[in-house]
């Protein structure tokens, strides 16, 4: 299990964005030359650089120590599908994080909501257990969280065929576009509420 850490990046801009909104620091961020979404992405990448680097080093060490026990894809097409699904999953994670962070526009304190999001993301992504382990958990495969870990790992382990891989990629793109529009709407409406009390 530990070698799978190499495919996981910590993405948590919801904490920084929600705190800035909650404590009135968001106004200064609006003056940045970089778009606000891009700013939080860059900031969070820098903040989590060390932890992600440690995770990568540990994963690589485990890979070389236990490579005889690690199942690798048998063809380049699988690796291509996996890489594509991983990129889509990364941006789904990022968009979800921003979406929940922007809830701070609508609440005086979102700490509990953000903690719930963190736990929901871990539970529903398939990281703790395969989402097909029990029938009553099957609905989790239809949530966007499954596209951030469970389905990329299914592709990596070659438990899906080409048609299924294409469906996974298509579903990932559909979710990403949907989440982008939902997050955009929430952000614009929330920004109007924020600006209504003055910058």
């Amino acid at each position: 299990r530990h070698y799978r850490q190499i495919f996981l990046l910590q993405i948590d801009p919801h904490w920084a964005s929600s705190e800035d909104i909650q404590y009135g620091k968001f106004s200064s961020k609006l003056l940045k030359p970089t778009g606000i979404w891009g700013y939080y992405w860059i900031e969070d990448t820098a903040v989590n650089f060390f932890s992600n680097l440690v995770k990568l080093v540990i994963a690589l060490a485990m890979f070389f120590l236990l490579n005889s026990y690690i199942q690798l894809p048998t063809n380049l097409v699988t690796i291509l599908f996996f890489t594509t699904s991983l990129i889509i999953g990364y941006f789904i994670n990022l968009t979800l994080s921003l979406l929940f962070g922007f809830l701070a526009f609508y609440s005086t304190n979102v700490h509990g909501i953000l903690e719930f999001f963190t736990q929901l993301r871990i539970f529903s992504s398939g990281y703790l257990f395969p989402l097909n382990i029990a029938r009553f958990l099957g609905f989790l495969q239809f949530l966007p969280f499954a596209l951030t870990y469970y389905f990329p790992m299914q592709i990596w382990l070659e438990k899906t065929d080409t048609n299924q891989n294409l469906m996974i990629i298509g579903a990932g793109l559909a979710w990403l576009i949907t989440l982008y529009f939902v997050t955009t709407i929430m952000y614009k409406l929330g920004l109007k509420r924020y600006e209504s009390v003055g910058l």
Side-chain angles (χ1 to χ4, degrees), residues 20-197:
D20 285 346
I21 295 168
Q22 183 176 342
Y23 297 113
K25 299 177 182 178
F26 193 73
S27 301
S28 62
K29 302 298 189 297
L30 293 173
L31 302 176
K32 301 286 184 182
T34 306
I36 196 68
W37 294 24
Y39 172 82
Y40 281 115
W41 174 66
I42 294 170
E43 180 186 59
D44 192 70
T45 299
V47 168
N48 289 306
F49 175 78
F50 182 73
S51 60
N52 284 327
L53 180 63
V54 170
K55 185 184 296 184
L56 180 62
V57 170
I58 293 174
L60 287 173
M62 296 298 295
F63 177 83
F64 287 114
L65 289 172
L66 304 173
N67 63 80
S68 60
Y69 299 98
I70 297 174
Q71 179 179 341
L72 298 174
T74 58
N75 62 73
L76 292 176
V77 176
T78 298
I79 295 176
L80 178 61
F81 276 123
F82 170 75
T83 303
T84 304
S85 69
L86 203 63
I87 293 171
I88 293 172
Y90 176 87
F91 284 103
I92 286 176
N93 235 340
L94 178 63
T95 308
L96 281 169
S97 186
L98 289 169
L99 174 65
F100 277 82
F102 292 151
L103 287 175
F105 284 125
Y106 307 91
S107 176
T108 55
N109 193 324
V110 294
H111 187 272
I113 297 174
L114 297 186
E115 187 59 40
F116 170 74
F117 164 66
T118 300
Q119 299 305 318
L120 177 65
R121 180 171 63 181
I122 295 172
F123 180 83
S124 303
S125 68
Y127 176 69
L128 296 177
F129 53 83
L131 298 182
N132 58 357
I133 197 170
R135 183 173 297 179
F136 70 91
L137 294 173
F139 74 95
L140 294 176
Q141 298 181 42
F142 297 97
L143 299 180
F145 303 102
L147 293 157
T148 66
Y149 187 81
Y150 173 73
F151 283 117
M153 286 309 304
Q154 294 297 300
I155 295 174
W156 176 262
L157 297 172
E158 296 184 301
K159 294 184 179 294
T160 53
D161 57 32
T162 300
N163 288 334
Q164 290 172 320
N165 291 341
L166 289 172
M167 290 178 64
I168 291 170
I169 299 301
L173 290 173
W175 265 115
L176 182 57
I177 293 170
T178 301
L179 289 170
Y180 173 79
F181 281 114
V182 171
T183 305
T184 299
I185 292 170
M186 177 174 285
Y187 172 71
K188 288 182 177 180
L189 293 177
L191 190 59
K192 286 182 179 179
R193 289 169 56 92
Y194 184 81
E195 292 177 335
S196 66
V197 297

